[in-house]
């Protein structure tokens, strides 16, 4: 599947959507896969020095949203309908990296597989499957 | 199942765990069910005037954690192993209310069913099933 | 929500859909909740005398499908888009009972919460959330 | 992660576990990934000529179980604690192929990512994340 938005356009959408937050960085996009990085801030921490579960869920959701927009354009009406996440390992205190792969782009639903790692490690810290409802469009 | 912590003790744990955040309120606890309210702040909003998905996931996770602690005591090593959530309706701009029911308390895993509504409405806005890994203890 | 099909009509749909199988029984239907029972057969067993996971997933899926049909009519194009299930306890060797509650009936998606018990016990053996895609229709 | 069982040993476990069923075939095993094929039988079909959802859930569960046994040995006490599946496309009438990747092998829980395709196609028909509880053992 060929994306219809560029990394730069997706970064701008991200900046607009997270105005007062620790803005994630769109690192790359190729075919069906987008890589999004979440810089660590103290706000994302937990006692014991790890990244909180809600921070991991939020970055998984954002990465899924962006890889869908990359393929359907800046459709602001895409909404999450479900999210499933398995937490696998405690992340190090390092930036989180989400690799989001678009595994279904239908007329009404899009499904994204998301792998989360810590920067500099290949071990998965979490794994998610995220479904979005999208405005009606021709099926691919 | 009889809780071993009171609403007041659980509220103190909540305050300690969310020091710089919009602290949720433990509203009630009876047998296997705990009710947690999340006051709305601008930080939780989304364009269009609704509550963000990550805010709903965070409150579901917190309510699950608290109803487990209510039954096993203040065991800080309980960690989320998985979370599944279906988003059902766009919440109104009102406090979120999470009703968390402990449906399994095993030796190693606890599972909680969470219903989310907006204050003043009985319509579900989201529904989650959350699993925690807990330190070994006698099965019930 | 008022159902549009009766228990008898739903039982006939079930018989037609499971021609060569151990047909489940529609036991009751009221508002948003349908109760479906799966008689135990040797085919559903596992060594050690319990009910297999796939049998529990199949009955959860069937109960979800039937409670949706109960509210939208015999629309054969409803298809499962996702299923999440937590297995909580090993079921006894007894009929399985699924209590399916329709928690969202939208224009395009329906979501059902399913509780599974063994006949004669109130302990949950499994808990599922099931999403179906349904043909476009007016939202409720 | 190096497997401790061979394809032949896993096939024998499969034959023993599914005595009166359409036995799936263990096709390959390398490091963390096992490929399991489910020959199609009429019993797995649905009106309209596709494979039933429960058949897909059963093969996903079996593939997850086998890739775990491949790494911990023939431990019959491994039990599914949760399964999440997204159904993506209607499968053709062809054998189902499950590619199960072990993404966590902890002391108490193992998590497996499963991709389902139809024989001869690379399009995913379903995607699952499956968690098993395993008897206590040293963490890796």
């Amino acid at each position: 599947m060929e994306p219809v938005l560029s990394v730069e356009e997706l970064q701008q959408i991200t900046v607009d959507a997270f105005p007062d937050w620790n803005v994630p960085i769109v690192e790359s996009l190729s075919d069906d896969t987008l890589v999004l990085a979440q810089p660590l801030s103290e706000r994302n921490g937990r006692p014991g020095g790890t990244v909180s579960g809600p921070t991991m869920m939020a970055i998984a959701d954002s990465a899924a949203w962006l890889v869908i927009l990359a393929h359907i354009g800046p459709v602001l009406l895409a909404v999450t309908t479900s999210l499933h996440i398995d937490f696998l390992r405690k992340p190090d205190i390092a930036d989180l990296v989400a690799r989001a792969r678009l595994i279904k782009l239908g007329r009404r639903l899009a499904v994204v597989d998301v792998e989360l790692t810590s920067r500099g490690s290949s071990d998965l810290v979490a794994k998610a499957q995220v479904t979005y409802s999208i405005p009606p469009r021709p099926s691919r």
Side-chain angles (χ1 to χ4, degrees), chain A:
Chain A
M1 279 183 286
E2 199 65 28
V4 300
L5 295 180
S6 68
V7 166
E8 292 71 26
E9 290 167 319
L10 291 163
Q11 185 63 55
Q12 189 56 52
I13 289 171
T14 307
V15 170
D16 294 345
F18 298 84
D20 60 352
W21 189 257
N22 201 5
V23 181
I25 310 298
V26 181
E27 300 209 330
S28 69
L29 172 64
S30 65
D31 292 348
D32 56 359
T33 301
L34 177 142
V35 177
L36 187 70
Q38 177 66 64
L40 192 75
S41 82
E42 299 216 346
R43 190 191 280 171
N44 309 125
R46 268 286 184 272
T50 186
V51 181
S52 76
T55 296
M56 290 190 266
M57 293 190 276
I59 186 76
D61 187 44
S62 297
W65 180 60
L66 287 166
V67 77
I68 294 167
L69 293 197
H71 289 85
I72 67 173
V75 176
L76 299 179
L77 293 176
V79 294
T80 314
T81 57
S82 79
L83 184 145
H84 175 79
I85 188 164
D86 287 304
F87 298 98
L88 305 174
R89 290 170 188 82
K90 286 194 181 178
D92 296 327
I93 310 180
D95 295 356
L96 271 183
V97 179
R99 178 176 296 271
R101 179 163 61 107
L102 184 57
I103 58 176
K104 174 178 174 157
L105 182 55
R107 281 186 306 133
R108 309 196 288 181
L109 291 178
V111 183
V112 182
D113 182 80
V114 187
E115 295 189 352
L116 292 184
T117 54
S118 294
R119 174 77 74 200
S121 166
S122 63
D123 287 342
L124 295 183
V125 297
K127 185 81 173 49
Q129 293 187 195
V130 187
T131 301
Y132 270 74
S133 173
I134 56 180
R137 48 185 295 288
S139 182
R140 298 196 192 186

